């Protein structure tokens, strides 16, 4: 069954809870299709008076912020052994190359990696746990987390809802096109991230020697 068709069969409160839960778990570090669920809920709100788009955006933002915060706490407590354990269970998401790429992003952008990571499918599951592992100051993480969660969740909801209202006659067709577009964008993002991850992994090996040389000097 199509996700949006399934969402139409459950109460509005359950839709809000589902959006918050899926996005929250994804932000916590569990690979789930949070963006697809959010797009489907926003489209549903555009075609049904019973679903409030403000509530969809608010629940999505809350799920993103809370999930990232829990992920931060888990990462801070678990440290690098946690990443190694996750790498064994989810090699496609927490493999050495992916973690190397994420670490380079954090080293280069700092707290902005948390903000912009919200808009990249793979980095979305890394931001919270990795910020905790790297001991990013919580106040910096919190600012980037809140801003990123609101802009991403609220912005996505507003754009999809607005397009759905304007093209109400084409809503059914657009729902499929929207999901297809989301999948294609996700695949493209994954390919780009995978390519960068390989490059990061290749250059990550000599990094400790460079750091040691600097420290010796």
């Amino acid at each position: 069954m199509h996700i949006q068709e399934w969402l139409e069969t459950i109460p509005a409160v359950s839709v809000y809870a589902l959006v918050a839960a899926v996005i929250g778990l994804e932000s916590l570090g569990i690979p789930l299709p949070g963006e697809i669920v959010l797009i489907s809920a926003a489209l549903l709100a555009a075609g049904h008076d019973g679903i409030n788009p403000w509530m969809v955006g608010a629940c999505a933002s809350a799920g993103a912020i809370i999930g990232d915060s829990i992920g931060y706490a888990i990462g801070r407590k678990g440290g690098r052994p946690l990443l190694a354990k996750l790498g064994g269970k989810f090699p496609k998401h927490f493999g050495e190359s992916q973690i190397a790429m994420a670490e380079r992003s954090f080293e280069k952008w700092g707290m902005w990696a948390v903000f912009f990571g919200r808009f990249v499918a793979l980095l979305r599951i890394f931001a919270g746990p990795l910020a905790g592992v790297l001991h990013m100051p919580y106040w910096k993480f919190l600012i980037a987390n809140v801003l990123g969660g609101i802009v991403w969740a609220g912005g996505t909801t507003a754009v999809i809802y607005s397009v759905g209202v304007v093209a109400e006659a084409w809503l059914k067709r657009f729902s499929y096109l929207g999901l297809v577009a989301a999948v294609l964008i996700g695949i493209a993002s994954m390919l780009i991230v995978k390519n960068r991850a390989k490059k990061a992994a290749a250059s990550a090996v000599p990094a400790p020697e460079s750091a040691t040389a600097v420290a010796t000097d």
Side-chain angles (χ1 to χ4, degrees), residues 12-13 15-17 19-20 38 41 45 50-62 157:
V13 174
V15 173
Y16 304 145
V19 169
L38 177 57
I51 306 296
N52 190 319
W54 287 96
M55 284 298 296
V56 172
C59 290
S61 299
T157 302

Side-chain angles (χ1 to χ4, degrees), residues 65 68-70 72-73 76 135-145:
I65 294 169
D68 254 6
S69 295
I70 295 175
Y72 175 91
R76 182 127 187 168
H135 290 269
M136 175 182 289
Y138 183 69
W139 68 268
K140 289 186 176 181
F141 169 79
L142 183 61
I143 292 174
N145 179 27

Side-chain angles (χ1 to χ4, degrees), residues 148-165:
I150 293 175
V151 173
W152 172 75
T156 299
T157 302
V159 170
I160 298 301
Y161 175 79
S162 298
V163 172
V165 170

Side-chain angles (χ1 to χ4, degrees), residues 81-92 94-96 99:
L82 173 64
L83 295 180
K85 186 175 181 180
L86 289 173
K89 293 184 177 181
F90 305 101
K92 293 183 179 180
F94 291 93
E96 292 182 4
I99 291 178

Side-chain angles (χ1 to χ4, degrees), residues 40-117:
S40 297
L43 285 171
L44 185 62
H48 294 77
D49 294 334
I51 306 296
N52 190 319
W54 287 96
M55 284 298 296
V56 172
C59 290
S61 299
I65 294 169
I66 294 172
D68 254 6
S69 295
I70 295 175
Y72 175 91
I74 293 175
R76 182 127 187 168
K77 184 175 181 180
R80 290 188 177 275
L82 173 64
L83 295 180
K85 186 175 181 180
L86 289 173
K89 293 184 177 181
F90 305 101
K92 293 183 179 180
H93 298 279
F94 291 93
E96 292 182 4
S97 58
Q98 288 87 348
I99 291 178
M101 181 277 299
E103 286 186 329
R104 288 173 66 88
S105 298
F106 270 73
E107 290 173 0
K108 183 176 182 180
W109 300 106
M111 63 184 288
W112 292 109
V114 177
F115 178 87
F116 290 111

